[in-house]
Amino acid sequence: MKTNPPLLKYFLLSLFLSLPLLFFFFSFQPQKPTPTTIPPPSDSGNDLRIRPGYTSYDSYIQRQLNKTLNPKLRRIWTTRDWERKIHVFSNFFLDLKQKQLLSNYSKSLCIGARVGQEVEALKRVGVSDSVGIDLVPYPPLVIKGDFHKQPFPDETFDFEFSNVFDHALYPEKFVGEIERTLKAGGVCVLHVALFRRSDKYSANDLYSAQALVRLFKRSEVVHVRKVDGFGLDTEMAFRKKKE
């Protein structure tokens, strides 16, 4: 059967005339959101930003306590998440032992340990002299302490670990206390978020590894790798210089 030439002609003409209308229509359709990208490090030091909204240090502490004392979260941390997190932390610490950044003889501190899964993981991999600090104690694994002013003498620990750098309102004090309480030659390992944003309780946002390196005045970077650490994606290790 042959196609009627006039009909084909009119069809093609109407299709051609409708193209501008279709283009106009689709140009106003909502665009799909694109993944959040991390801006490159800035020369102005804007790659570490403190979140606004804290009227006083007490208000900051209260906001952190709102998470730490949340009954639902504490129940999850001590039941459903207990063994799972210990297993993940144990693998992290075993890897650090293989890299000789941690040993069974390391006197160790976990900063912002909440209910102490990190401390328990250290003990299970053989690092028995370990303790945690948090705003709320959880005996016997965690004692009360503010990471902006650690309750320990100078040069107490061989190893310090934390995955709560993003909760520091004063990052310089956070790092300064680590370097104060760390022995010369000691190692600090931090898990941080570089490629994703942290939770609503975070007090700062870190946009480059260089911003963290700048805070460590008395230490040098010895190890960096990507990790999957409960919302944190980068592991950075620093060794305190022997002055």
Side-chain angles (χ1 to χ4, degrees), residues 85-86 89 93 110-123 130 161-164:
K85 287 195 172 184
I86 289 173
F89 284 126
F93 295 141
C110 294
I111 302 166
R114 297 195 182 107
V115 296
Q117 294 106 325
E118 307 96 314
V119 182
E120 179 64 22
L122 281 169
K123 293 179 181 293
S130 303
F161 171 81
S162 183
N163 60 1
V164 296

Side-chain angles (χ1 to χ4, degrees), residues 93-154:
F93 295 141
L94 286 171
D95 185 76
L96 293 172
K97 288 179 75 174
Q98 291 177 354
K99 291 179 169 60
Q100 298 184 337
L101 299 174
L102 174 67
S103 78
N104 289 351
Y105 304 103
S106 299
K107 184 176 178 64
S108 302
L109 172 68
C110 294
I111 302 166
R114 297 195 182 107
V115 296
Q117 294 106 325
E118 307 96 314
V119 182
E120 179 64 22
L122 281 169
K123 293 179 181 293
R124 291 192 188 185
V125 300
V127 188
S128 57
D129 192 359
S130 303
V131 70
I133 60 169
D134 202 276
L135 292 173
V136 178
Y138 191 78
L141 299 175
V142 182
I143 67 172
K144 185 176 181 179
D146 183 345
F147 53 53
H148 289 116
K149 188 174 177 59
Q150 290 187 22
F152 306 107
D154 296 355

Side-chain angles (χ1 to χ4, degrees), residues 155-204:
E155 300 189 346
T156 299
F157 299 101
D158 303 291
F159 177 84
E160 299 192 25
F161 171 81
S162 183
N163 60 1
V164 296
F165 173 81
D166 58 294
H167 286 241
L169 184 63
Y170 302 109
E172 297 87 352
K173 288 186 177 181
F174 180 94
V175 172
E177 282 296 278
I178 290 174
E179 292 193 310
R180 180 183 68 79
T181 58
L182 200 61
K183 296 177 183 177
V187 171
C188 165
V189 174
L190 299 181
H191 284 181
V192 297
L194 288 180
F195 303 101
R196 64 184 77 171
R197 293 304 98 222
S198 305
D199 65 28
K200 65 180 181 179
Y201 294 97
S202 298
N204 71 70

Side-chain angles (χ1 to χ4, degrees), residues 46-62:
N46 202 29
D47 41 0
L48 174 56
R49 305 173 191 171
I50 305 301
R51 294 187 181 181
Y54 297 107
T55 57
S56 67
Y57 192 69
D58 287 341
S59 68
Y60 157 77
I61 291 294
Q62 187 57 54

